[in-house]
Amino acid sequence: ADSQPDAREELLGPSKQAGFDVEGNPTKAAMGFARSKGADVSDLKVVATAKGEYLMLVQEREGVATVELLPSILEELMSGFSFAKSMRWGNHTSSFARPIQWLVALYDGKTVPYSHEGVDASNMSRGHRFMANEPVVMDGVAGYRTILQNVSVQVDPEERRNSVLSEIQKAVAGTLDPNVAKVAVDEALVDTVCNLVEKPFGVCGSFDEKFLQLPDEALITSMREHQKYFPVVDQDNQLLPYFVAVNNTEVKDINLTRTGHERVLRARLEDAFFFFTGDKQKKLADRFDDLTGIIFQEKLGTMLDKTERIVKLTGLLAEQFVPDSVDDACRAARLCKTDLLTDMVGEFPSLQGNMGGAYALNDGETADVALAIQEHYFPKRAGAELPSSALGAVVGLADRLDTLSGCFGIGQIPTGTTDPFGLRRISLAILHIVEQFGWTLSLQDIVYKALSLYGDKVNGGAETVEQVVTFIRGRFVNDQLGAGLDGEAVDAVISVQFDDVNDSLKKIRALAAIRGEDAFAVLAASFKRIRNIIKDNTTTDVDKALLKEDAEKELAAVFMRLDTDVQPMLDSHDYDKALAAMLALKAPVDEFFNEVMVMDEDELVRSNRLNLLTAISVLFLKVGDISKMQQ
């Protein structure tokens, strides 16, 4: 648009009575209203509204030309950028990712009169710093990509990303047999490299085979985090002594460039090899007491305190879920944090767990213990890999439950903007692990036990337990809705009870599956009516002698028969079958409401009918509040 559209604003002010005194002179209210709008009292007019006569200011605003609006919009945009790491330069007050060298701001082919931190906008950009370091004139949006492409800058991030993928694959194919070797593509690293180069050029190099003694994750991390190099693997995804680097410049002597990358990487790998070799001189078990030197949380104690709690909580969980491996689970829990004291993890914090597993094998621990140490951090982020071993899952649950319960116990509860301990992520991990292994776990019981291990360091009462479970429930609801589950079915179940994750999921899926039945839709509506009628009644005793009408006798008979038949299904958590059986209530419930007056004048008859409806309600609530699913 060339300009804003013209606008007519009608601004309502104070009432006529408040705006003028008895002599017709404007009051402070009228003058203040006019002044606040940049107008004079004489510009005000009296209009009739539904509430009486009020003062109104009508302002006709002519639309401002776009080119006049752009400078302030651009400044707001520039000031609004934020970076994980930014810098200031010269005597400037604002910060940016890097010093701003030039600005191109064009509208309709003409330069926008805009300046930022002493840099005036123009129609001049520049080509690639090394391959085409020359000014280029921009004529507008249409030719922007093409003009910069001609000076070795790929503007489009998707095109540049595809070029990165193409270059790293071409570099390996040009150096090694493509039937033997391939690039291990890390999507996150591809994104990073894409944003580090203007035009990518791949080069494949090699390193000493001795470095393959390092754990794979350690070797890959050394290449990825410091150098942004891609590892090379064979067809079985085993690491090979090669890597791929991505340059921002095309070089004439590729061998010289390759040698430079190899020299830099060798120094990094020598450091990692030195750390790895040194760390192995001291067993993880011998580092346990040194955990007292790491603070977990000021009010919650040291990492040694935390580890001792994890061991106890792991024991409780292991007795329930892996009773034949309690000792191994507790051993893994005892050692799971000791790699935090190693030089390798000190250099590469992301390797915690991975190095613990590798060092545990070196120390002679069993493979199950080593894997549990490694996997107790899984999943490391949303959507990441879950533990493959039950031992790793048990230790991971204990670790997260300890953190979650402890933080709530001292009032360290996440807000809309702060979650320093990542409690939302921790809650999701707990949910996903329990779901993955299909375990039956009472969240209330395990949170209470986790809190009790803190002693008097935290508030471990019922209120805190409820806060923690409610917090997990919130994450559960969001997670299930995000996964596409029926929102009303989720609400129907968790509004009644939420304690066992997998039991709740079975109920939700059963309700979602049966809601398509015509009988269920009618029954849900009737159930809502039942809930409204019984209100606070909780008694379920039904006296057959007080059943007078045929419809209530039939409903009572069907219900009592159904109650007996359905209970074993509920006990075995076969909610699909239980709900299918409950549909038998549809016809007698309809007939009951058509033929029977619940609020009979006889108090005993009235109470008996309320008790019958309450008993039906209680039966359905064992699955969920289906009134939430009424259309």
Side-chain angles (χ1 to χ4, degrees):
D2 292 334
S3 69
Q4 292 175 322
D6 295 339
R8 184 176 189 270
E9 288 185 296
E10 296 181 347
L11 306 172
L12 203 62
S15 66
K16 178 184 177 183
Q17 184 178 359
F20 293 98
D21 60 23
V22 292
E23 296 177 356
N25 297 314
T27 64
K28 290 184 178 180
M31 290 186 287
F33 171 66
R35 186 170 54 252
S36 69
K37 305 303 178 185
D40 190 80
V41 175
S42 60
D43 297 326
L44 302 180
K45 61 176 63 177
V46 178
V47 295
T49 73
K51 295 182 179 181
E53 293 185 317
Y54 277 75
L55 302 184
M56 176 180 282
L57 176 65
V58 178
Q59 291 184 329
E60 302 285 350
R61 296 189 181 276
E62 184 179 351
V64 181
T66 299
V67 73
E68 294 178 34
L69 293 170
L70 280 173
S72 61
I73 294 174
L74 293 176
E75 183 57 33
E76 183 178 351
L77 178 68
M78 292 292 288
S79 302
F81 280 119
S82 63
F83 304 90
K85 294 181 179 180
S86 59
M87 62 188 297
R88 290 186 177 87
W89 60 97
N91 58 359
H92 301 308
T93 57
S94 64
S95 61
F96 212 72
R98 288 290 185 272
I100 297 172
Q101 303 291 340
W102 71 87
L103 290 167
V104 176
L106 301 178
Y107 178 74
D108 196 24
K110 298 177 182 178
T111 301
V112 175
Y114 169 62
S115 179
H116 179 78
E117 293 286 9
V119 180
D120 295 327
S122 72
N123 65 344
M124 301 291 291
S125 186
R126 298 192 69 83
H128 191 289
R129 184 175 179 182
F130 301 109
M131 298 168 60
N133 192 1
E134 57 193 53
V136 288
V137 177
M138 294 293 157
D139 56 9
V141 174
Y144 179 61
R145 296 184 184 187
T146 303
I147 291 172
L148 286 178
Q149 184 77 37
N150 293 335
V151 287
S152 300
V153 177
Q154 280 187 298
V155 173
D156 187 282
E158 193 59 35
E159 290 180 6
R160 197 166 62 250
R161 192 179 195 280
N162 291 334
S163 294
V164 170
L165 289 169
S166 174
E167 281 292 318
I168 60 178
Q169 290 160 356
K170 186 169 71 174
V172 171
T175 305
L176 304 168
D177 184 347
N179 295 316
V180 175
K182 60 182 180 180
V183 183
V185 177
D186 180 324
E187 296 296 336
L189 181 56
V190 173
D191 290 336
T192 299
V193 170
C194 174
N195 287 307
L196 287 174
V197 298
E198 294 166 300
K199 189 173 184 179
F201 298 92
V203 56
C204 182
S206 63
F207 55 84
D208 195 317
E209 288 192 20
K210 79 170 186 178
F211 295 122
L212 292 177
Q213 298 175 51
L214 288 167
D216 285 0
E217 193 62 30
L219 190 55
I220 292 170
T221 301
S222 294
M223 287 191 271
R224 180 184 61 221
E225 292 195 5
H226 282 310
Q227 301 308 129
K228 309 299 183 287
Y229 293 169
F230 293 88
V232 176
V233 296
D234 62 19
Q235 298 304 313
D236 296 322
N237 289 319
Q238 298 298 308
L239 282 174
L240 296 173
Y242 297 93
F243 66 90
V244 179
V246 178
N247 292 335
N248 189 36
T249 307
E250 186 176 23
V251 295
K252 296 179 181 179
D253 188 346
I254 193 70
N255 290 323
L256 182 63
T257 301
R258 179 185 292 113
T259 301
H261 285 299
E262 290 173 346
R263 183 173 64 251
V264 173
L265 180 60
R266 180 180 180 84
R268 292 293 187 189
L269 296 183
E270 286 287 7
D271 288 344
F273 197 75
F274 174 78
F275 294 144
F276 181 63
T277 304
D279 286 340
K280 290 192 297 182
Q281 303 306 309
K282 186 174 184 178
K283 291 186 175 183
L284 292 179
D286 295 334
R287 299 178 185 272
F288 181 77
D289 291 335
D290 295 338
L291 287 170
T292 191
I294 302 177
I295 299 297
F296 165 52
Q297 202 279 342
E298 182 183 3
K299 295 180 180 179
L300 301 179
T302 67
M303 195 59 75
L304 179 63
D305 298 328
K306 177 178 175 62
T307 303
E308 289 174 339
R309 291 191 301 271
I310 293 175
V311 171
K312 293 174 184 176
L313 203 54
T314 295
L316 293 172
L317 291 167
E319 287 173 0
Q320 182 177 353
F321 301 128
V322 282
D324 296 333
S325 303
V326 174
D327 290 343
D328 279 351
C330 290
R331 180 66 176 175
R334 181 177 175 82
L335 301 177
C336 70
K337 301 299 182 185
T338 51
D339 69 345
L340 296 176
L341 297 161
T342 63
D343 290 333
M344 184 67 91
V345 173
E347 179 72 11
F348 301 108
S350 64
L351 288 178
Q352 56 188 347
N354 295 97
M355 297 314 304
Y359 292 144
L361 288 176
N362 181 74
D363 295 347
E365 303 289 344
T366 67
D368 289 342
V369 168
L371 183 60
I373 293 172
Q374 177 185 346
E375 290 192 337
H376 91 280
Y377 284 109
F378 290 10
K380 291 187 175 182
R381 63 191 68 85
E385 182 183 1
L386 291 165
S388 63
S389 70
L391 289 186
V394 163
V395 178
L397 276 180
D399 181 16
R400 291 174 173 89
L401 286 164
D402 175 79
T403 299
L404 183 63
S405 301
C407 287
F408 270 79
I410 59 172
Q412 187 87 37
I413 300 174
T415 66
T417 56
T418 61
D419 186 7
F421 279 83
L423 301 187
R424 293 184 179 89
R425 175 174 48 82
I426 283 175
S427 296
L428 281 174
I430 291 171
L431 291 168
H432 292 165
I433 290 171
V434 172
E435 183 180 352
Q436 164 91 351
F437 286 87
W439 287 335
T440 299
L441 177 67
S442 169
L443 291 173
Q444 287 196 344
D445 288 350
I446 198 64
V447 169
Y448 172 78
K449 290 170 182 174
L451 286 166
S452 68
L453 293 175
Y454 277 97
D456 59 4
K457 288 182 178 179
V458 303
N459 176 4
E463 179 184 354
T464 305
V465 173
E466 182 61 26
Q467 283 182 326
V468 175
V469 175
T470 300
F471 183 75
I472 298 175
R473 181 177 64 194
R475 308 287 77 70
F476 175 81
V477 171
N478 291 339
D479 193 43
Q480 298 312 316
L481 294 181
L485 264 68
D486 186 321
E488 290 181 345
V490 173
D491 189 24
V493 172
I494 64 101
S495 65
V496 177
Q497 185 185 37
F498 176 76
D499 186 44
D500 183 330
V501 174
N502 286 305
D503 192 52
S504 296
L505 283 171
K506 288 179 182 177
K507 292 176 179 178
I508 291 167
R509 288 165 182 155
L511 285 171
I514 204 170
R515 77 172 305 166
E517 298 282 345
D518 292 338
F520 180 81
V522 177
L523 193 58
S526 298
F527 185 73
K528 184 171 185 177
R529 187 174 178 185
I530 289 173
R531 297 278 287 166
N532 290 335
I533 290 172
I534 63 175
K535 295 183 179 177
D536 297 328
N537 188 68
T538 57
T539 307
T540 58
D541 297 331
V542 178
D543 186 345
K544 293 182 180 180
L546 293 173
L547 299 172
K548 300 191 303 183
E549 306 290 343
D550 289 342
E552 64 180 326
K553 291 178 182 177
E554 174 64 15
L555 177 58
V558 172
F559 166 70
M560 290 173 183
R561 190 166 57 246
L562 183 65
D563 192 33
T564 301
D565 294 343
V566 166
Q567 197 56 52
M569 303 173 195
L570 296 174
D571 292 340
S572 62
H573 309 285
D574 190 348
Y575 300 114
D576 292 290
K577 196 172 181 181
L579 284 170
M582 290 181 194
L583 292 182
L585 284 169
K586 183 261 182 188
V589 166
D590 283 352
E591 187 67 15
F592 176 85
F593 281 127
N594 288 333
E595 302 295 333
V596 178
M597 173 66 70
V598 178
M599 296 305 178
D600 195 88
E601 293 180 359
D602 186 324
E603 184 179 348
L604 291 176
V605 172
R606 181 170 68 247
S607 296
N608 200 53
R609 289 171 180 171
L610 287 172
N611 291 350
L612 174 59
L613 294 177
T614 301
I616 294 172
S617 173
V618 168
L619 178 63
F620 272 96
L621 289 176
K622 290 179 180 178
V623 181
D625 182 357
I626 64 171
S627 69
K628 306 275 188 185
M629 302 175 69
Q630 185 229 348
Q631 294 299 319

Short mmCIF file of all heavy atoms in Angstrom, two decimals, residues 486 488-489 508-524 576 579-580 583 626 629-631:
data_model
loop_
_atom_site.label_atom_id
_atom_site.label_comp_id
_atom_site.label_asym_id
_atom_site.label_seq_id
_atom_site.Cartn_x
_atom_site.Cartn_y
_atom_site.Cartn_z
N ASP A 486 -8.73 -36.73 21.34
CA ASP A 486 -10.02 -36.05 21.50
C ASP A 486 -10.00 -35.20 22.77
O ASP A 486 -9.89 -35.72 23.88
CB ASP A 486 -11.12 -37.12 21.59
CG ASP A 486 -12.52 -36.53 21.61
OD1 ASP A 486 -12.72 -35.48 22.24
OD2 ASP A 486 -13.41 -37.14 20.98
N GLU A 488 -12.31 -33.46 24.30
CA GLU A 488 -13.41 -33.67 25.25
C GLU A 488 -13.24 -34.98 26.01
O GLU A 488 -13.59 -35.07 27.19
CB GLU A 488 -14.75 -33.64 24.51
CG GLU A 488 -15.11 -32.25 23.99
CD GLU A 488 -16.44 -32.23 23.27
OE1 GLU A 488 -16.93 -33.33 22.92
OE2 GLU A 488 -16.98 -31.13 23.05
N ALA A 489 -12.70 -35.98 25.35
CA ALA A 489 -12.42 -37.25 26.04
C ALA A 489 -11.34 -37.06 27.10
O ALA A 489 -11.42 -37.62 28.20
CB ALA A 489 -12.00 -38.31 25.03
N ILE A 508 -9.22 -42.49 28.05
CA ILE A 508 -9.39 -41.47 27.00
C ILE A 508 -9.60 -42.13 25.64
O ILE A 508 -10.51 -41.75 24.89
CB ILE A 508 -8.16 -40.54 26.97
CG1 ILE A 508 -8.10 -39.68 28.24
CG2 ILE A 508 -8.18 -39.65 25.73
CD1 ILE A 508 -6.79 -38.97 28.45
N ARG A 509 -8.79 -43.12 25.34
CA ARG A 509 -8.89 -43.77 24.02
C ARG A 509 -10.20 -44.54 23.90
O ARG A 509 -10.81 -44.59 22.82
CB ARG A 509 -7.69 -44.68 23.81
CG ARG A 509 -6.40 -43.89 23.55
CD ARG A 509 -5.16 -44.71 23.70
NE ARG A 509 -3.95 -43.89 23.49
CZ ARG A 509 -2.77 -44.17 23.99
NH1 ARG A 509 -2.59 -45.26 24.75
NH2 ARG A 509 -1.74 -43.38 23.76
N ALA A 510 -10.65 -45.15 25.01
CA ALA A 510 -11.92 -45.87 24.97
C ALA A 510 -13.08 -44.91 24.75
O ALA A 510 -13.98 -45.19 23.94
CB ALA A 510 -12.11 -46.64 26.28
N LEU A 511 -13.08 -43.77 25.43
CA LEU A 511 -14.14 -42.78 25.25
C LEU A 511 -14.12 -42.20 23.84
O LEU A 511 -15.17 -41.99 23.22
CB LEU A 511 -14.00 -41.67 26.28
CG LEU A 511 -14.42 -42.01 27.72
CD1 LEU A 511 -14.02 -40.89 28.67
CD2 LEU A 511 -15.92 -42.25 27.79
N ALA A 512 -12.92 -41.90 23.34
CA ALA A 512 -12.81 -41.34 21.99
C ALA A 512 -13.29 -42.33 20.95
O ALA A 512 -13.91 -41.95 19.94
CB ALA A 512 -11.36 -40.95 21.72
N ALA A 513 -13.07 -43.63 21.20
CA ALA A 513 -13.46 -44.66 20.24
C ALA A 513 -14.97 -44.87 20.20
O ALA A 513 -15.55 -45.14 19.14
CB ALA A 513 -12.76 -45.98 20.57
N ILE A 514 -15.64 -44.72 21.35
CA ILE A 514 -17.07 -45.05 21.41
C ILE A 514 -17.97 -43.85 21.16
O ILE A 514 -19.17 -44.01 20.95
CB ILE A 514 -17.40 -45.68 22.79
CG1 ILE A 514 -18.66 -46.55 22.67
CG2 ILE A 514 -17.54 -44.61 23.87
CD1 ILE A 514 -18.94 -47.39 23.89
N ARG A 515 -17.40 -42.65 21.14
CA ARG A 515 -18.25 -41.47 21.03
C ARG A 515 -19.00 -41.39 19.70
O ARG A 515 -19.99 -40.66 19.56
CB ARG A 515 -17.47 -40.19 21.27
CG ARG A 515 -16.60 -39.72 20.13
CD ARG A 515 -16.03 -38.33 20.43
NE ARG A 515 -17.10 -37.38 20.75
CZ ARG A 515 -16.90 -36.19 21.30
NH1 ARG A 515 -15.68 -35.82 21.62
NH2 ARG A 515 -17.91 -35.38 21.54
N GLY A 516 -18.55 -42.14 18.71
CA GLY A 516 -19.23 -42.15 17.43
C GLY A 516 -20.53 -42.93 17.43
O GLY A 516 -21.34 -42.81 16.50
N GLU A 517 -20.76 -43.74 18.46
CA GLU A 517 -22.00 -44.52 18.56
C GLU A 517 -23.17 -43.58 18.86
O GLU A 517 -23.10 -42.73 19.74
CB GLU A 517 -21.87 -45.55 19.68
CG GLU A 517 -20.77 -46.58 19.48
CD GLU A 517 -21.16 -47.66 18.49
OE1 GLU A 517 -22.37 -47.77 18.20
OE2 GLU A 517 -20.27 -48.37 18.00
N ASP A 518 -24.28 -43.76 18.12
CA ASP A 518 -25.46 -42.93 18.35
C ASP A 518 -25.95 -43.03 19.79
O ASP A 518 -26.35 -42.04 20.41
CB ASP A 518 -26.59 -43.33 17.39
CG ASP A 518 -26.25 -42.99 15.93
OD1 ASP A 518 -25.39 -42.11 15.73
OD2 ASP A 518 -26.84 -43.60 15.03
N ALA A 519 -25.94 -44.26 20.32
CA ALA A 519 -26.43 -44.47 21.69
C ALA A 519 -25.59 -43.70 22.70
O ALA A 519 -26.10 -43.21 23.71
CB ALA A 519 -26.42 -45.96 22.02
N PHE A 520 -24.28 -43.57 22.43
CA PHE A 520 -23.41 -42.86 23.37
C PHE A 520 -23.74 -41.38 23.41
O PHE A 520 -23.76 -40.76 24.47
CB PHE A 520 -21.94 -43.05 22.99
CG PHE A 520 -20.99 -42.33 23.92
CD1 PHE A 520 -20.64 -42.89 25.13
CD2 PHE A 520 -20.48 -41.08 23.59
CE1 PHE A 520 -19.78 -42.23 26.00
CE2 PHE A 520 -19.63 -40.41 24.45
CZ PHE A 520 -19.28 -40.99 25.66
N ALA A 521 -24.03 -40.80 22.25
CA ALA A 521 -24.36 -39.37 22.20
C ALA A 521 -25.60 -39.08 23.04
O ALA A 521 -25.65 -38.09 23.79
CB ALA A 521 -24.57 -38.95 20.75
N VAL A 522 -26.62 -39.95 22.92
CA VAL A 522 -27.84 -39.76 23.70
C VAL A 522 -27.58 -39.98 25.18
O VAL A 522 -28.06 -39.24 26.05
CB VAL A 522 -28.95 -40.72 23.20
CG1 VAL A 522 -30.21 -40.58 24.06
CG2 VAL A 522 -29.27 -40.45 21.74
N LEU A 523 -26.78 -41.00 25.48
CA LEU A 523 -26.47 -41.32 26.87
C LEU A 523 -25.67 -40.20 27.52
O LEU A 523 -25.87 -39.89 28.71
CB LEU A 523 -25.68 -42.64 26.93
CG LEU A 523 -25.55 -43.29 28.31
CD1 LEU A 523 -26.91 -43.58 28.92
CD2 LEU A 523 -24.74 -44.59 28.20
N ALA A 524 -24.75 -39.56 26.77
CA ALA A 524 -23.97 -38.45 27.32
C ALA A 524 -24.87 -37.29 27.71
O ALA A 524 -24.68 -36.66 28.75
CB ALA A 524 -22.93 -37.99 26.29
N ASP A 576 -12.89 -50.29 26.93
CA ASP A 576 -13.67 -50.40 25.69
C ASP A 576 -14.86 -51.31 25.90
O ASP A 576 -16.00 -50.99 25.54
CB ASP A 576 -12.78 -50.95 24.57
CG ASP A 576 -11.71 -49.97 24.14
OD1 ASP A 576 -12.04 -48.95 23.54
OD2 ASP A 576 -10.53 -50.22 24.44
N LEU A 579 -17.44 -49.75 28.50
CA LEU A 579 -18.28 -48.70 27.94
C LEU A 579 -19.32 -49.28 26.98
O LEU A 579 -20.47 -48.83 26.94
CB LEU A 579 -17.42 -47.66 27.23
CG LEU A 579 -16.66 -46.68 28.13
CD1 LEU A 579 -15.66 -45.87 27.31
CD2 LEU A 579 -17.63 -45.74 28.85
N ALA A 580 -18.90 -50.27 26.19
CA ALA A 580 -19.85 -50.91 25.27
C ALA A 580 -21.00 -51.53 26.05
O ALA A 580 -22.18 -51.43 25.65
CB ALA A 580 -19.14 -51.96 24.44
N LEU A 583 -23.64 -48.99 27.40
CA LEU A 583 -24.61 -48.44 26.47
C LEU A 583 -25.98 -49.06 26.65
O LEU A 583 -27.00 -48.50 26.19
CB LEU A 583 -24.13 -48.63 25.03
CG LEU A 583 -22.90 -47.83 24.58
CD1 LEU A 583 -22.60 -48.10 23.12
CD2 LEU A 583 -23.10 -46.34 24.82
N ILE A 626 -18.82 -38.33 31.24
CA ILE A 626 -19.20 -38.28 29.82
C ILE A 626 -20.10 -37.09 29.51
O ILE A 626 -20.34 -36.81 28.33
CB ILE A 626 -19.87 -39.59 29.36
CG1 ILE A 626 -21.19 -39.82 30.11
CG2 ILE A 626 -18.93 -40.76 29.53
CD1 ILE A 626 -22.00 -40.98 29.55
N MET A 629 -18.74 -34.71 27.14
CA MET A 629 -18.69 -35.07 25.72
C MET A 629 -20.05 -34.92 25.07
O MET A 629 -20.25 -35.38 23.95
CB MET A 629 -18.18 -36.51 25.57
CG MET A 629 -16.82 -36.73 26.19
SD MET A 629 -16.27 -38.44 26.16
CE MET A 629 -15.99 -38.66 24.41
N GLN A 630 -20.97 -34.25 25.75
CA GLN A 630 -22.29 -34.06 25.19
C GLN A 630 -22.25 -33.00 24.11
O GLN A 630 -21.69 -31.92 24.30
CB GLN A 630 -23.28 -33.64 26.29
CG GLN A 630 -24.71 -33.56 25.81
CD GLN A 630 -25.38 -32.26 26.21
OE1 GLN A 630 -24.86 -31.52 27.02
NE2 GLN A 630 -26.52 -31.98 25.63
N GLN A 631 -22.84 -33.31 22.96
CA GLN A 631 -22.85 -32.34 21.85
C GLN A 631 -23.88 -31.25 22.13
O GLN A 631 -25.01 -31.57 22.50
CB GLN A 631 -23.17 -33.06 20.54
CG GLN A 631 -22.11 -34.05 20.13
CD GLN A 631 -20.76 -33.37 19.89
OE1 GLN A 631 -20.70 -32.29 19.31
NE2 GLN A 631 -19.69 -34.01 20.33
#
